[in-house]
mmCIF file of all heavy atoms in Angstrom:
data_model
loop_
_atom_site.group_PDB
_atom_site.id
_atom_site.type_symbol
_atom_site.label_atom_id
_atom_site.label_comp_id
_atom_site.label_asym_id
_atom_site.label_seq_id
_atom_site.Cartn_x
_atom_site.Cartn_y
_atom_site.Cartn_z
ATOM 1 N N ASP S 94 157.423 173.298 148.047
ATOM 2 C CA ASP S 94 157.189 173.813 146.726
ATOM 3 C C ASP S 94 156.642 172.811 145.664
ATOM 4 O O ASP S 94 156.501 173.143 144.526
ATOM 5 C CB ASP S 94 158.487 174.436 146.193
ATOM 6 C CG ASP S 94 159.586 173.487 145.957
ATOM 7 O OD1 ASP S 94 159.411 172.266 146.147
ATOM 8 O OD2 ASP S 94 160.704 173.903 145.634
ATOM 9 N N SER S 95 156.333 171.602 146.115
ATOM 10 C CA SER S 95 155.656 170.546 145.310
ATOM 11 C C SER S 95 156.594 170.049 144.198
ATOM 12 O O SER S 95 156.143 169.297 143.319
ATOM 13 C CB SER S 95 154.402 171.072 144.638
ATOM 14 O OG SER S 95 153.514 171.510 145.613
ATOM 15 N N THR S 96 157.962 170.199 144.338
ATOM 16 C CA THR S 96 158.845 169.748 143.249
ATOM 17 C C THR S 96 158.775 168.214 143.126
ATOM 18 O O THR S 96 158.598 167.686 142.037
ATOM 19 C CB THR S 96 160.279 170.185 143.545
ATOM 20 O OG1 THR S 96 160.316 171.634 143.479
ATOM 21 C CG2 THR S 96 161.212 169.665 142.500
ATOM 22 N N SER S 97 158.943 167.511 144.248
ATOM 23 C CA SER S 97 158.880 166.061 144.177
ATOM 24 C C SER S 97 157.438 165.571 144.224
ATOM 25 O O SER S 97 157.159 164.520 143.605
ATOM 26 C CB SER S 97 159.692 165.465 145.293
ATOM 27 O OG SER S 97 159.411 166.014 146.568
ATOM 28 N N ALA S 98 156.571 166.274 144.907
ATOM 29 C CA ALA S 98 155.141 165.812 144.982
ATOM 30 C C ALA S 98 154.552 165.846 143.545
ATOM 31 O O ALA S 98 153.696 164.966 143.220
ATOM 32 C CB ALA S 98 154.362 166.728 145.842
ATOM 33 N N ALA S 99 154.958 166.796 142.730
ATOM 34 C CA ALA S 99 154.431 166.869 141.337
ATOM 35 C C ALA S 99 154.786 165.647 140.530
ATOM 36 O O ALA S 99 154.036 165.172 139.735
ATOM 37 C CB ALA S 99 154.921 168.124 140.659
ATOM 38 N N ARG S 100 156.008 165.043 140.769
ATOM 39 C CA ARG S 100 156.379 163.904 140.009
ATOM 40 C C ARG S 100 155.479 162.708 140.430
ATOM 41 O O ARG S 100 155.148 161.894 139.600
ATOM 42 C CB ARG S 100 157.847 163.558 140.262
ATOM 43 C CG ARG S 100 158.313 162.218 139.601
ATOM 44 C CD ARG S 100 158.232 162.198 138.138
ATOM 45 N NE ARG S 100 158.567 160.877 137.622
ATOM 46 C CZ ARG S 100 159.647 160.518 136.995
ATOM 47 N NH1 ARG S 100 160.663 161.463 136.806
ATOM 48 N NH2 ARG S 100 159.892 159.337 136.623
ATOM 49 N N VAL S 101 155.152 162.581 141.735
ATOM 50 C CA VAL S 101 154.209 161.566 142.123
ATOM 51 C C VAL S 101 152.836 161.786 141.547
ATOM 52 O O VAL S 101 152.177 160.816 141.104
ATOM 53 C CB VAL S 101 154.146 161.377 143.607
ATOM 54 C CG1 VAL S 101 153.256 160.264 144.070
ATOM 55 C CG2 VAL S 101 155.610 161.132 144.187
ATOM 56 N N TRP S 102 152.287 163.015 141.631
ATOM 57 C CA TRP S 102 151.097 163.389 140.975
ATOM 58 C C TRP S 102 151.059 162.986 139.536
ATOM 59 O O TRP S 102 150.141 162.339 139.046
ATOM 60 C CB TRP S 102 150.869 164.880 141.121
ATOM 61 C CG TRP S 102 149.724 165.437 140.274
ATOM 62 C CD1 TRP S 102 148.388 165.438 140.581
ATOM 63 C CD2 TRP S 102 149.855 166.022 139.001
ATOM 64 N NE1 TRP S 102 147.715 165.969 139.552
ATOM 65 C CE2 TRP S 102 148.544 166.342 138.570
ATOM 66 C CE3 TRP S 102 150.909 166.304 138.190
ATOM 67 C CZ2 TRP S 102 148.281 166.956 137.316
ATOM 68 C CZ3 TRP S 102 150.696 166.898 136.963
ATOM 69 C CH2 TRP S 102 149.366 167.223 136.496
ATOM 70 N N TRP S 103 152.091 163.352 138.779
ATOM 71 C CA TRP S 103 152.197 163.044 137.392
ATOM 72 C C TRP S 103 152.225 161.544 137.128
ATOM 73 O O TRP S 103 151.509 160.965 136.260
ATOM 74 C CB TRP S 103 153.408 163.668 136.750
ATOM 75 C CG TRP S 103 153.518 163.451 135.221
ATOM 76 C CD1 TRP S 103 152.926 164.265 134.266
ATOM 77 C CD2 TRP S 103 154.048 162.383 134.636
ATOM 78 N NE1 TRP S 103 153.180 163.678 133.023
ATOM 79 C CE2 TRP S 103 153.872 162.509 133.215
ATOM 80 C CE3 TRP S 103 154.750 161.199 135.040
ATOM 81 C CZ2 TRP S 103 154.302 161.563 132.273
ATOM 82 C CZ3 TRP S 103 155.210 160.274 134.153
ATOM 83 C CH2 TRP S 103 154.985 160.464 132.780
ATOM 84 N N SER S 104 152.979 160.835 137.946
ATOM 85 C CA SER S 104 153.171 159.386 137.775
ATOM 86 C C SER S 104 151.802 158.650 138.013
ATOM 87 O O SER S 104 151.480 157.717 137.256
ATOM 88 C CB SER S 104 154.234 158.854 138.737
ATOM 89 O OG SER S 104 155.497 159.494 138.373
ATOM 90 N N LEU S 105 151.156 159.051 139.080
ATOM 91 C CA LEU S 105 149.822 158.394 139.324
ATOM 92 C C LEU S 105 148.857 158.648 138.254
ATOM 93 O O LEU S 105 148.177 157.774 137.795
ATOM 94 C CB LEU S 105 149.270 158.862 140.681
ATOM 95 C CG LEU S 105 149.919 158.191 141.892
ATOM 96 C CD1 LEU S 105 149.544 158.935 143.207
ATOM 97 C CD2 LEU S 105 149.422 156.700 142.043
ATOM 98 N N ARG S 106 148.884 159.851 137.686
ATOM 99 C CA ARG S 106 148.019 160.198 136.587
ATOM 100 C C ARG S 106 148.367 159.400 135.339
ATOM 101 O O ARG S 106 147.545 158.846 134.623
ATOM 102 C CB ARG S 106 148.055 161.723 136.311
ATOM 103 C CG ARG S 106 147.369 162.562 137.373
ATOM 104 C CD ARG S 106 145.898 162.462 137.434
ATOM 105 N NE ARG S 106 145.315 162.545 136.057
ATOM 106 C CZ ARG S 106 145.155 163.653 135.366
ATOM 107 N NH1 ARG S 106 145.481 164.835 135.961
ATOM 108 N NH2 ARG S 106 144.611 163.655 134.190
#
Side-chain angles (χ1 to χ4, degrees):
D94 65 4
S95 303
T96 297
S97 50
R100 175 62 187 256
V101 180
W102 167 84
W103 183 91
S104 299
L105 281 165
R106 292 289 314 281

